[in-house]
Amino acid sequence: MKSKSLKEKAYNIIKSKIVSCEYPPNSFLNENFLQEEIGVSRTPIRDAIGRLEQESLVKIIPKKGIIVTELSINEINMIYETRMLIEPFAIEKYGNKVDKSILISIRELFTQEYTMDNIERLYEIDDRAHRIFITATQNKYIIQIYDNIQVQNNRIRILSGRKESRLSQSTQEHIKIIDAVLADNYEEAAGLIKTHLQVAKNAAFSLVLSNGGWIIHPQKDH
């Protein structure tokens, strides 16, 4: 396998395990372990770790090793602060470029019943509803920022646990946002999505504070 392919393999596998929280926040990653688990040499591993450090998913600590970045109150605040800057802007300025037939189909999906058994499907629809407005900007810098944020957002979801009490509320918030866009009320829709993101941020804060931090598997070196 070519060197570039090995580097991509290492990067994709390690990133996937971080995003899925198989490698939880604050856990240490050992190069030798990663080499054995992924089946590549040291060079692709180091290349992957370098890329993941740039994406703020790992930190290289001198004389200690590689640690998966935490998701602190401050980190969550920065994630939602960024989302509340770019998502209302995307809707207000570019919502008119979104195909309304697609929005109608997404709205229909939100009206279906979701439980803890099919919550992953709801998350997919949720992601699609947010991303459609980001993509409408056709701004590669906004899209790149959003992609980086979504990686962290997925970790927040997993570590927060599955909270059924939030499902119905979030679904109704999305429907109201879509309805405003369908009615060409883009300013109203921008305000609604900002409120939606604030509620989501508060929910994440509440979970962190009530748990005294994220509840994760006992830490071990990988």
Side-chain angles (χ1 to χ4, degrees), residues 49-61:
I49 294 300
R51 291 173 64 183
L52 293 167
E53 185 178 33
Q54 291 179 346
E55 296 176 18
S56 299
L57 289 174
V58 301
K59 290 188 291 187
I60 300 173
I61 303 176

Side-chain angles (χ1 to χ4, degrees), residues 145-163:
I145 290 170
Y146 186 78
D147 287 343
N148 291 339
I149 287 173
Q150 282 303 94
V151 169
Q152 302 289 20
N153 191 52
N154 193 65
R155 292 208 295 164
I156 291 172
R157 279 177 176 166
I158 292 170
L159 294 170
S160 295
R162 299 177 171 185
K163 302 296 178 181

